[in-house]
Every structure is written in structure tokens, then in C-alpha cells.
Amino acid sequence: MKYRDISDALAKLDQIEATAAAYYHAIGILTTDAATAAPSDSYEGRGRTMEVLSGVVYNLVADPENQELLSYLETHKQELNQFRLRQVELLRKQVDQLSRIPQEEYVAYTVLLNQADSVWCKAKNENDFASFAPILEQIVEYNRKFAGYYNPNLCTYDALLNEYEEGLNMQTLDEFFSQLRTALVPLIHAIGQKEQIDDSFLKRSYPIEQQKKFSDYLMEVMGIDPARCTLAETEHPFTNGFNSRDVRITTHYYENDVANSMYSVIHEGGHALYELGGDQSYDFTSIQGGVSMSIHESQSRFYENIIGRSREFVELIFPKMQEFFPEQLKDVTAEQMYRGVNKVQPSLIRTEADELTYCMHIMVRYELEKQLMDGTLQVKDLPQAWNKMYQEYLGVEVPNDSQGCLQDTHWSGGMFGYFPSYALGSAYGAQMKVFMERDIGPIADLISKGELSKITDWLREHIHRYGQLYKPGQLFQMSCGQFDAKYYTDYLTEKYTKLYNL
Amino acid sequence: MKYRDISDALAKLDQIEATAAAYYHAIGILTTDAATAAPSDSYEGRGRTMEVLSGVVYNLVADPENQELLSYLETHKQELNQFRLRQVELLRKQVDQLSRIPQEEYVAYTVLLNQADSVWCKAKNENDFASFAPILEQIVEYNRKFAGYYNPNLCTYDALLNEYEEGLNMQTLDEFFSQLRTALVPLIHAIGQKEQIDDSFLKRSYPIEQQKKFSDYLMEVMGIDPARCTLAETEHPFTNGFNSRDVRITTHYYENDVANSMYSVIHEGGHALYELGGDQSYDFTSIQGGVSMSIHESQSRFYENIIGRSREFVELIFPKMQEFFPEQLKDVTAEQMYRGVNKVQPSLIRTEADELTYCMHIMVRYELEKQLMDGTLQVKDLPQAWNKMYQEYLGVEVPNDSQGCLQDTHWSGGMFGYFPSYALGSAYGAQMKVFMERDIGPIADLISKGELSKITDWLREHIHRYGQLYKPGQLFQMSCGQFDAKYYTDYLTEKYTKLYNL
């Protein structure tokens, strides 16, 4: 027997986890640096470093001794607490997956993704899909192949979905999206018949320096500790959390679109609160961090929409907003601002979409990902398919690929199966609102009083602090019962029926 | 025999160097991130990661097999070219040093330095030397102990000096500083008798946003490729070069001191050009990067002073400077600007010192470091000793430790023996000017025409491209003959005699 006793085996597990955490941290900082501060020509050196570091991580997880360690711990399950059981479960999954991925493929894929980001970024800036297509083809092929490594028992796309949300599959999503379509399409159609909300004041010139100060203010209102979370600028906003005392969020400023960065900051801020709210004792272990993309998006989109686009929130921050932008907002009221940031209008860009048509953008990507993964769509035909679906789902004409299939960073990051999380997370959030209000009363009242901390406390208590201790479905069920899309469609129907006097 | 042949052994050497380069890169990015973007509470996680990564680097270099590899290569010296010989020499030095440093001390010191930066930063901001003293004591003790590991044949401070400049010792420096003192003290004294230059316009309000644009312009004038070198903001400006396509410089903006960041950018830009100018084939090997701190400072201070504070450079950039700051500079001429940025006035802060009194700041640090290292000065007595020497060397009263012994980041970074490089590098630069002008004519004419690239080309040809291929003394001698401080004192005497009509 290799291990003297259970604590000897657990010490070995701790050592593996601490080492892995260090490498993930270094890789994460290199990734963050690449997107925020690195010179554009620096990719070769970073690629080499990523190759070395990810090779070590591969070896750490794929180490044949881990099989022995896991077997030992799995035969001593009755002696392990929930934390240890979950560590074992997560390592088992990783070990089994990596044992199926040849090291050279794993490392080559990591290196490919490092290159892909700058290729995509350039292609998007220059509206040149053709220059991105070859690398995207490779990424698609890797994903199709890796899906089989991840879970050989599932079909390709289900295996990828499971990487972002354990237990999710196309059957669930087809049904979920069908429910959404049934509720939302008539609503969007009815709104299309009504008079347009005027949001032209959002497109005035808002100096970026002032927007930066406004961002700091928004983070303060959300209760994000600047000593633990900093904000940077990137092409596409993201959150990267390393532990409960080191989280990074990013935004992108547009001088003529004040709402864009505003809601990016609130969205990423929601992700940040989740990462910051994890039990500190989970730091540097596999239990640290958000458990799934849907739960993560439930937090970000809860903050962005349910809080950030509520009348009460807009009323709360509007006086301060007017201080930051006195000229731009001198003839605007809080009510106009509330209506402006909730204007429903089918459009081209997902991240700028209103809360209601947003899910349509996700459905386009979901359908296209399914087709790319089952081989019925080729990468070269993606722009055409994209444009066709935008016409069909949103009724908009896509003028170029920069505003079309090149708009998102996800595919260049290899993240196929991620997009549905946005819609599912939004629906999770709406259900959380109902269950939260049973405990702490109407959140509208709390927001009016600026008591966002009470909302965050509830989320920390029921979601954040657990990190990855439970599977996402289980975690959700513990606080909100059985998932039902109706909470979400009810929330949207009520809000927009009222807003548009339907 | 472990190695089949020489190319087998060199392949092993290449593998060690590539791996080391990856880890140094990751550690360097973590360090840069810590100073630029990381939240202040994030140090624990970074410390853990640094500990893991630096432990790996330690093992990589301390690997007993390296002794075998080096012995093999050393017995086949006649088959190695200059590049390979130098790689072997550098690895030999590292291996011998590390074989003397116990791993736990090496790692503990790395972790200590990671903590020290934020402790120093806080202490400086709060003028609280007492809170920094305990960690500084530990750093001093590590340096005293490590000096013996670095080179057991040298006395403590000489061993540390050698870490920054192979071959440098106190005897050389005592003589060098004595020459400087002899030439500069009467000059500074004579200037003290003359009417003060008015530089009050430099202290007007210069919006930081405009200063940022001005920085970009300065980098452009210097010919720094933004695709290979980016600029960030930190408490204390620095340069971090990873390879010839990835260099980072930083500055610190002060709204009421436009010259501060201006000359930081030019200074760090000089470092950057050195790192960017290395032969690309040296990237990811031990030959990449600047060979010593004095040679590095020769480049930065050449750009900062010999170019940046020349009348021709100020005349070149002044029209553009007036565009960035039209209100602030509407009543200022290029000549006034030239005189303003060259005003000689003994002062408190090294990085803000004029070119002439600058060396006095270095001498204070040199004398104090000698005493700290030979044990005749205790850390607790440092503020008092510092203040006394500032009175003696510069005739200024130090009002608090923030502006006194807490002002520089070097000691919190463990860099004892570094400061003399600034003075020595300045002297190297003055000698380079003379030898450069023999080849390309008066640089004043080139600067007037905006042809800085011809100057950089000479430096690249004679210094930059070689990376660490030659020892610093050898490299200097190859292009500029025997070092003689007289070139520097002559340069300063001529410039300031003219400027002040002495």
C-alpha cells in the first residue's frame, strides 16, 4: 500500500491541488496580461511559456500515480467529508479526461488558443473572416475530438455542454429555448408595434476618463472591494478570478455609448462578487471559484439586468451619474434613463442587446454550435449561416462579419457549449429573485435604499460561499428548488408588459 | 558517458534554457502584474505561486546532472562557438551559486521579496519606516548571507556589486566616486552662487490624460515599436524585458510635475530599446537581455540626459509639447524649457534630481549600502544616517522618511549593489557619446533633424544586439576602449559651465 493512512493520501492530494493552483494562477495571469497589457507582437514568447506550463499541468494531472491515489481515496469514501469527496470527484473527472487526451494534443491546443486570440482580434478589427477561418477550423476540430475525450458516452455537443454545466444536454436546452421562444416572440412582436423609446441621449459624447470614474463608482455601489478586485480594459470584457482575494474584471469603453461599459462593469462585477464570495478556506484548492458557467452567468446577469436595469437601481445611481456627466444628462430624467437602458430593439451585437432580445442572440449561437459540432455546418459557411439566422431570429441584416460571426471572443477561446449558459443563467437568476424575496422581502425596496449588500449577502449565503462544493444543479436546487423557465418568462413578461403598456 | 556527442549535450542545454526562460517569463509577468494591475490584497496567492515556480527554477539549475553536463561541455570548449561558450559560462556561474544556496533559503527569499513590495509601498505612503524596518532587516541579512553564496572569495559588498556588474568592486567605485566628487562639488558650488533658473512652469497643472498622450508621442520619437513595448503606470517606474518582442515600461504621472513622467518615459525607453535591440536568435536563451545594470543604465541615462536633456532634443519636441499643453506652455519658449529641465538644485528625491547632483544621491546610497553590508550600520539607524548624509552631500534637510530612505524601491526588491550602476552607467554613456560621434558625427545635429534612429542604430550595432554575449567590461571596451571617468566629468563640466555662464 502506497499510503500509510488517509491523512497521508490527503496530504498528497493537497500537494497536487496547491501545485495545480499555482500553475493555473500563472497561466491565468499570462492570459489576463495578454488581453490587457501585453504588446501585440509578444505572442510567441507567451506561447512558449504556456506550452511549458500547460505541459506541467498535464503531467501533474495525468500522473499515473493519481490513479492509485484516487483508488485509495475512493475506497475510503466513508472517512471523507463533503469537501474531500468533491475534491476526489473533480480530480477523478480530470484524470479520466486527461488520460484520454494525448499530451501533445493537449499542449498543441493550448498553444493554438494562445495564437487564436490575436488572430481573431485582428480579423474582427479588419472585418476579415477569411484570415480567422483556418484557425477556427482547427479549434472546431479540436473541440469535436476533445468532446469524445471529455465524455465518450455523450454525443459531441452534449459532452461540450457538460464542460460548462455538469448534467446539461441538448434535450433540456431545446425544451428551454422552445419555452422562451413561445413566451418571448409574441412579446417582442408586440413591442415592435409600439412607439420606440428614445435612447439617443445614451449616444452622446461621454469622455472615457469620466466613464472610468463612473466605473469605480458602480463597483463601489455594488460593494466590490478594490483591494481584491481591479478593473482593466480589453477588447471584450471578462472576469478572471484566482482566489477570494484576487479577481480581475475588464470592460471596453466607447465614447458614444455610455451604457455599454456601464452594463459591462455591472455584469462582470456580478461575476466578481461570486468569485470574491467563495469560502476563503477553499482558496488554492479545486473547490475554489464558480461551479459552472450557468451559475456564473446567473450572478452576472442578475446584477446586470434584474438589479442594474431595474427602475430602482437607475433611480439610485442617476444623481451621481449626472454629476459625472452634467452636460450630457442635463435634460434627461431618471425615468428616461430607465426606459432608455431597457429599450427593446432587435440588433446585431449580443453584448449590447436588450434583456429581452438577448436570448435570441444566444439561440442563434446555440443552433450554429450544434451544427458545427455535428458536422452539418462547415466553418467556411459560418458567415452565411450566421447572417441568415440573424435575419430569421432577429429580423436584422448583418452588414459585415465584424458585427456578425466575428463579434464574440468565445469561439477563438475554444469555448463551444458556453453560450447557452447566458440564457440558462438568466433564467436561474429570475428564479433566485423569487426565492430570495421570500427571505429578505422585495429587492426593489432594498435597491431603492442602496442596500445591495443585503442582496449580495443572500447570494453569498446560498451560492457564492460554496464555490464548487456541489454540482451546479444540486446547488441551484438547494436554494431554489426545481428549475422552471416559467420564473424567467414571467419576470420578462411582467417587466416589459408594464414598460411598454402592452 | 552520459552524452552521445556534443550536439546531444547542447540539446540538453537548450532544453534547460528554454524551460528556465518560460519560468522566468511567468515569474516576470507575475511581478509586473503585481506592480501594475493586481489588487493590493492579492499577495498571498501570488506568493504561493512564486514559491512553486521559483522552487522549480531552483531545481532546474541545481539539478546535479547539470554538473555532468557542464563538465562535458567544458572539456569540449574547442568545439563551441562564442554563443555556446557564454551559455556554458553563465550556467556554470548559476549552478555554482545555487549549489551554495540552500533551496529553502532561496524560495523563502523569493517569497519575502514578494511581500516586501507592498509593505514598502504602504510604509512609503504612510511615512512609516518602522513598519518596513523588520522586513528590510531580513532582506539585508539575506543579502549578507547570499553574498557569501554568490562568491565566497569576495567580501560581502563586492560580491553583491558583481551580481549587477561582473568585475566591479569597491576599490574601483571609491576611485570613480572620488573623481566625480573632485570635479562636481566645485561645479555644484559655483552654480549655487548663480541666479536660479526659473522652472516654475513645469509645476503647473498638466492633466494626466494629456501627459499619457505625450508619453506615447515620446515613445514614437524614440522609435519604440508599440507592438513590442507597452507602457503602464506604477508607483516607481521600471522596465521589464522578456524577449526582443516583449518589453514593458512603466511611469508615474504627477499632475503638477510634467518633467517627472516625461523623463521617466525617456529613461525607461532607453532601457526598452536595449532589450528590444537584442539579436532575435538570442530570445528564450540565457544570452537574451541586457548584460549588466551599468550597461543598462548607460542606455537609459544616455537617452534621458545626453539626448533627452540636450538643447536640440527639447527644441525638437517642444512644438508638439505645446500642442499637448497649449495653456500651460503658451508663455514658455523652447530655451526656457531647456533651461528648466536642466536646472541644478540639490534636492531630496533621486529620480527627480538634475543630471549634475544626481551622482550625489548615488554616493549616499553607495556609502550606506557599504555600511549596511559590513555591519557598521543597523537598519533601525538607517533614517538617521540617511538624513545626515543628505545634509552632508547635498546640503538638504530631509523632512520625512517617505522623501528620505523610503523613496526608492530597490532595497525592498533586495537590490543591494545596484545603485552604483546608475552613476557608472552615466559615465559609460558619456564615453559612448564620444566614440559614437567618431563614427556618425555630432549627435546634436542628428537630434536636431529628428534622426534619433541613427543614434539607436549605433547603440544597437555596438551594444544592444550582443545581449549577454560578452561580459560588460569586455563589451564596453570593444566599442569604447578603456573606461575613463574623465569623459563624463568633461561632458558635465562643459554642459553646465556653458548653461550657467560659469
Side-chain angles (χ1 to χ4, degrees):
Chain A
M1 186 53 71
K2 201 176 164 69
Y3 303 97
R4 274 195 321 278
D5 53 25
I6 193 84
S7 69
D8 187 38
L10 290 174
K12 175 68 186 159
L13 179 65
D14 284 340
Q15 194 210 318
I16 294 167
E17 294 218 332
T19 307
Y23 279 87
Y24 288 135
H25 181 205
I27 291 169
I29 292 287
L30 283 158
T31 309
T32 303
D33 173 74
T36 54
S40 57
D41 280 3
S42 64
Y43 53 86
E44 187 197 336
R46 190 164 45 255
R48 287 167 173 259
T49 300
M50 292 286 209
E51 192 173 331
V52 170
L53 300 186
S54 58
V56 175
V57 172
Y58 180 94
N59 288 325
L60 188 73
V61 177
D63 185 346
E65 282 187 28
N66 290 344
Q67 293 288 2
E68 221 174 317
L69 175 65
L70 285 169
S71 300
Y72 180 88
L73 289 169
E74 282 159 351
T75 57
H76 290 77
K77 272 190 176 170
Q78 68 292 348
E79 299 170 52
L80 302 179
N81 63 19
Q82 171 65 17
F83 173 76
R84 293 304 194 177
L85 284 171
R86 181 65 170 160
Q87 282 184 307
V88 169
E89 182 179 45
L90 289 171
L91 183 60
R92 164 59 69 197
K93 187 179 165 199
Q94 265 198 299
V95 164
D96 286 352
Q97 284 189 345
L98 268 205
S99 72
R100 292 188 290 259
I101 305 178
Q103 180 174 11
E104 59 282 10
E105 287 185 30
Y106 176 86
V107 172
Y109 183 53
T110 308
V111 172
L112 180 71
L113 293 184
N114 175 49
Q115 284 168 24
D117 183 68
S118 51
V119 175
W120 162 73
C121 200
K122 195 160 175 280
K124 180 180 172 179
N125 285 334
E126 297 172 2
N127 183 34
D128 180 12
F129 180 78
S131 69
F132 179 53
I135 209 163
L136 182 58
E137 265 164 30
Q138 290 181 63
I139 294 172
V140 166
E141 278 319 302
Y142 269 110
N143 268 272
R144 292 179 55 160
K145 204 188 316 177
F146 278 32
Y149 299 146
Y150 294 149
N151 193 333
N153 304 318
L154 297 176
C155 72
T156 304
Y157 194 52
D158 278 353
L160 295 176
L161 289 170
N162 261 266
E163 287 302 292
Y164 300 101
E165 183 83 2
E166 274 176 283
L168 189 62
N169 57 38
M170 284 186 276
Q171 198 190 336
T172 306
L173 283 176
D174 285 341
E175 193 185 311
F176 169 58
F177 283 125
S178 151
Q179 272 184 278
L180 283 193
R181 230 180 335 249
T182 306
L184 303 190
V185 169
L187 202 56
I188 293 168
H189 184 76
I191 289 170
Q193 311 301 312
K194 305 286 286 191
E195 198 190 345
Q196 278 281 33
I197 288 173
D198 175 22
D199 67 346
S200 57
F201 56 87
L202 294 172
K203 314 293 171 187
R204 291 172 181 169
S205 171
Y206 292 83
I208 285 166
E209 272 320 289
Q210 286 304 102
Q211 290 197 48
K212 287 184 187 173
K213 291 177 194 157
F214 184 41
S215 297
D216 292 340
Y217 165 72
L218 290 170
M219 287 172 72
E220 192 189 317
V221 171
M222 291 177 72
I224 296 171
D225 181 352
R228 298 183 170 200
C229 176
T230 51
L231 174 68
E233 288 175 66
T234 51
E235 176 64 25
H236 191 96
F238 66 79
T239 299
N240 212 341
F242 302 113
N243 57 65
S244 66
R245 279 161 293 166
D246 191 355
V247 178
R248 318 298 175 89
I249 66 174
T250 74
T251 187
H252 191 118
Y253 295 105
Y254 298 89
E255 175 146 354
N256 292 302
D257 188 356
V258 71
N260 195 306
S261 169
M262 169 177 173
Y263 283 102
S264 285
V265 169
I266 301 175
H267 178 98
E268 303 305 332
H271 284 304
L273 285 170
Y274 186 10
E275 294 281 324
L276 292 165
D279 190 302
Q280 200 168 305
S281 70
Y282 298 165
D283 284 347
F284 322 116
T285 75
S286 59
I287 308 304
Q288 184 275 325
V291 68
S292 76
M293 285 309 135
S294 297
I295 300 289
H296 238 305
E297 291 299 331
S298 78
Q299 301 306 295
S300 55
R301 293 190 54 78
F302 187 91
Y303 263 95
E304 178 189 348
N305 293 316
I306 295 180
I307 295 181
R309 285 194 165 89
S310 69
R311 175 176 275 116
E312 295 73 21
F313 184 79
V314 173
E315 284 171 352
L316 175 71
I317 66 160
F318 193 69
K320 197 81 188 175
M321 198 173 178
Q322 279 186 314
E323 281 179 34
F324 287 117
F325 308 108
E327 273 308 302
Q328 294 84 348
L329 296 178
K330 65 181 173 190
D331 58 349
V332 179
T333 65
E335 179 64 18
Q336 283 174 297
M337 179 61 73
Y338 167 65
R339 294 176 63 81
V341 299
N342 283 294
K343 175 182 178 178
V344 174
Q345 184 168 42
S347 64
L348 289 166
I349 308 294
R350 177 184 61 84
T351 56
E352 297 167 21
D354 59 84
E355 189 178 6
L356 200 57
T357 61
Y358 185 88
C359 290
M360 297 293 162
H361 292 262
I362 299 304
M363 287 183 220
V364 169
R365 288 154 179 79
Y366 172 65
E367 295 301 333
L368 293 173
E369 287 190 347
K370 281 202 295 191
Q371 292 172 25
L372 283 168
M373 289 305 138
D374 72 13
T376 54
L377 177 64
Q378 302 301 306
V379 165
K380 68 173 171 44
D381 301 323
L382 181 61
Q384 204 189 346
W386 177 285
N387 299 353
K388 190 160 164 281
M389 285 197 117
Y390 260 76
Q391 186 61 258
E392 189 184 326
Y393 278 62
L394 286 133
V396 296
E397 193 79 43
V398 178
N400 56 57
D401 296 332
S402 293
Q403 294 175 280
C405 63
L406 284 174
Q407 69 180 264
D408 292 307
T409 187
H410 301 64
W411 292 341
S412 74
M415 293 183 280
F416 287 88
Y418 185 125
F419 281 118
S421 317
Y422 292 108
L424 195 58
S426 301
Y428 281 169
Q431 188 161 341
M432 282 176 197
K433 174 176 181 290
V434 174
F435 281 75
M436 175 189 296
E437 292 190 323
R438 292 181 190 168
D439 292 336
I440 61 173
I443 63 167
D445 296 350
L446 296 172
I447 297 170
S448 287
K449 288 186 273 183
E451 292 177 351
L452 270 70
S453 63
K454 293 196 176 153
I455 298 169
T456 305
D457 284 348
W458 190 94
L459 292 169
R460 190 180 301 120
E461 176 71 17
H462 291 86
I463 307 290
H464 302 177
R465 69 185 174 105
Y466 291 115
Q468 306 193 35
L469 193 60
Y470 301 105
K471 289 187 184 180
Q474 194 184 356
L475 178 68
F476 184 80
Q477 182 126 19
M478 279 165 59
S479 55
C480 300
Q482 183 62 39
F483 171 65
D484 188 343
K486 202 172 171 305
Y487 291 100
Y488 186 41
T489 53
D490 281 355
Y491 156 78
L492 290 173
T493 305
E494 193 198 332
K495 174 171 175 179
Y496 287 93
T497 303
K498 211 176 276 178
L499 186 68
Y500 276 93
N501 273 318
L502 299 177
Chain B
M1 186 53 69
K2 198 175 165 70
Y3 301 98
R4 274 195 320 277
D5 53 25
I6 192 85
S7 68
D8 187 39
L10 290 175
K12 175 68 186 160
L13 179 65
D14 284 340
Q15 194 211 318
I16 293 168
E17 294 219 332
T19 307
Y23 280 87
Y24 289 135
H25 182 203
I27 290 169
I29 292 287
L30 283 157
T31 308
T32 304
D33 172 74
T36 54
S40 57
D41 280 2
S42 64
Y43 54 86
E44 188 197 336
R46 190 165 46 255
R48 287 167 173 259
T49 300
M50 292 286 210
E51 192 173 331
V52 170
L53 300 186
S54 59
V56 175
V57 172
Y58 180 94
N59 288 325
L60 188 71
V61 178
D63 185 346
E65 283 186 27
N66 291 343
Q67 294 287 2
E68 220 174 318
L69 174 66
L70 284 169
S71 300
Y72 181 89
L73 290 169
E74 282 159 351
T75 57
H76 290 76
K77 271 190 178 172
Q78 68 293 347
E79 298 170 53
L80 302 179
N81 63 20
Q82 171 66 19
F83 173 76
R84 292 304 195 178
L85 284 171
R86 181 64 171 161
Q87 283 184 308
V88 169
E89 183 180 44
L90 290 171
L91 184 60
R92 165 58 70 196
K93 187 180 163 195
Q94 265 198 300
V95 164
D96 286 352
Q97 284 189 346
L98 268 206
S99 71
R100 292 188 290 260
I101 305 178
Q103 179 173 11
E104 60 281 9
E105 288 185 29
Y106 177 86
V107 171
Y109 183 53
T110 308
V111 171
L112 179 71
L113 292 184
N114 176 48
Q115 285 170 22
D117 183 68
S118 51
V119 175
W120 161 72
C121 200
K122 193 159 176 283
K124 180 180 171 180
N125 285 333
E126 298 172 3
N127 183 33
D128 180 12
F129 180 78
S131 70
F132 179 54
I135 208 163
L136 182 58
E137 265 164 30
Q138 290 182 63
I139 294 173
V140 166
E141 278 320 302
Y142 269 110
N143 269 272
R144 292 179 54 160
K145 204 188 316 177
F146 278 32
Y149 299 145
Y150 294 150
N151 193 333
N153 303 317
L154 296 177
C155 72
T156 304
Y157 194 50
D158 278 352
L160 296 175
L161 289 171
N162 261 267
E163 287 302 291
Y164 299 101
E165 184 84 1
E166 274 175 283
L168 189 62
N169 57 38
M170 283 188 275
Q171 198 190 337
T172 306
L173 283 176
D174 284 341
E175 194 186 310
F176 168 59
F177 283 126
S178 152
Q179 273 183 279
L180 283 193
R181 229 180 336 249
T182 305
L184 303 191
V185 168
L187 203 57
I188 294 169
H189 184 76
I191 289 170
Q193 310 301 312
K194 307 285 287 190
E195 198 190 343
Q196 277 282 31
I197 289 173
D198 175 22
D199 67 346
S200 57
F201 55 86
L202 294 172
K203 313 293 173 187
R204 290 172 181 168
S205 171
Y206 291 83
I208 285 167
E209 272 320 288
Q210 286 303 103
Q211 289 198 49
K212 287 184 186 174
K213 290 176 194 157
F214 183 42
S215 297
D216 292 340
Y217 164 72
L218 290 170
M219 288 172 72
E220 193 189 318
V221 171
M222 291 178 72
I224 296 171
D225 182 353
R228 299 183 169 200
C229 176
T230 51
L231 174 68
E233 289 175 65
T234 50
E235 175 65 24
H236 190 96
F238 65 79
T239 298
N240 212 341
F242 302 112
N243 57 66
S244 66
R245 280 162 292 166
D246 191 355
V247 178
R248 319 298 176 87
I249 65 175
T250 74
T251 188
H252 191 117
Y253 295 105
Y254 298 90
E255 176 145 356
N256 292 302
D257 188 356
V258 72
N260 194 305
S261 169
M262 169 178 172
Y263 284 102
S264 286
V265 169
I266 301 175
H267 178 99
E268 303 306 331
H271 284 304
L273 285 170
Y274 185 11
E275 294 282 323
L276 292 164
D279 191 301
Q280 201 168 305
S281 70
Y282 298 165
D283 283 348
F284 320 117
T285 75
S286 58
I287 309 302
Q288 183 275 326
V291 67
S292 76
M293 286 309 136
S294 297
I295 300 289
H296 239 305
E297 291 300 331
S298 78
Q299 301 306 295
S300 55
R301 294 189 54 79
F302 186 91
Y303 262 93
E304 178 189 348
N305 293 317
I306 296 181
I307 295 181
R309 286 194 165 87
S310 69
R311 175 176 276 117
E312 295 74 20
F313 184 79
V314 173
E315 284 171 352
L316 176 73
I317 66 160
F318 192 68
K320 196 82 188 174
M321 198 174 177
Q322 279 186 314
E323 280 179 34
F324 287 116
F325 308 108
E327 273 308 304
Q328 295 83 348
L329 296 178
K330 65 182 173 190
D331 59 349
V332 179
T333 65
E335 179 64 20
Q336 284 174 297
M337 180 60 74
Y338 167 65
R339 295 175 62 80
V341 299
N342 282 293
K343 175 181 178 178
V344 175
Q345 183 167 42
S347 64
L348 288 166
I349 307 294
R350 177 184 62 84
T351 57
E352 297 168 22
D354 59 84
E355 191 179 4
L356 200 57
T357 60
Y358 185 87
C359 290
M360 298 292 162
H361 292 262
I362 299 305
M363 288 182 220
V364 169
R365 288 154 180 79
Y366 172 63
E367 296 299 332
L368 293 173
E369 287 190 348
K370 280 203 295 191
Q371 293 172 25
L372 283 167
M373 288 306 137
D374 72 13
T376 55
L377 175 65
Q378 302 301 307
V379 164
K380 69 173 171 45
D381 301 323
L382 181 61
Q384 203 188 347
W386 177 286
N387 299 353
K388 190 158 163 283
M389 285 198 119
Y390 260 75
Q391 185 60 259
E392 187 185 326
Y393 278 62
L394 286 132
V396 296
E397 193 79 43
V398 178
N400 56 58
D401 295 333
S402 293
Q403 294 175 280
C405 62
L406 284 173
Q407 69 181 263
D408 292 307
T409 186
H410 301 63
W411 292 341
S412 74
M415 293 184 279
F416 287 88
Y418 185 125
F419 281 119
S421 317
Y422 291 109
L424 194 59
S426 300
Y428 281 169
Q431 187 161 342
M432 282 177 198
K433 174 177 182 289
V434 174
F435 281 75
M436 175 189 295
E437 292 190 325
R438 291 180 190 169
D439 292 337
I440 60 173
I443 63 167
D445 296 350
L446 296 172
I447 297 170
S448 287
K449 288 186 275 184
E451 292 177 352
L452 272 67
S453 64
K454 293 197 176 153
I455 298 169
T456 305
D457 285 347
W458 190 94
L459 291 169
R460 188 179 303 119
E461 176 71 18
H462 291 85
I463 307 288
H464 301 177
R465 69 185 173 105
Y466 291 115
Q468 306 193 35
L469 193 60
Y470 302 104
K471 289 187 184 180
Q474 193 185 357
L475 178 68
F476 184 79
Q477 183 126 18
M478 280 165 58
S479 55
C480 299
Q482 183 62 38
F483 170 65
D484 187 344
K486 202 171 170 305
Y487 290 101
Y488 186 41
T489 53
D490 282 354
Y491 157 78
L492 290 172
T493 305
E494 193 198 332
K495 175 171 174 178
Y496 287 94
T497 301
K498 213 177 275 179
L499 186 69
Y500 276 94
N501 273 319
L502 298 178

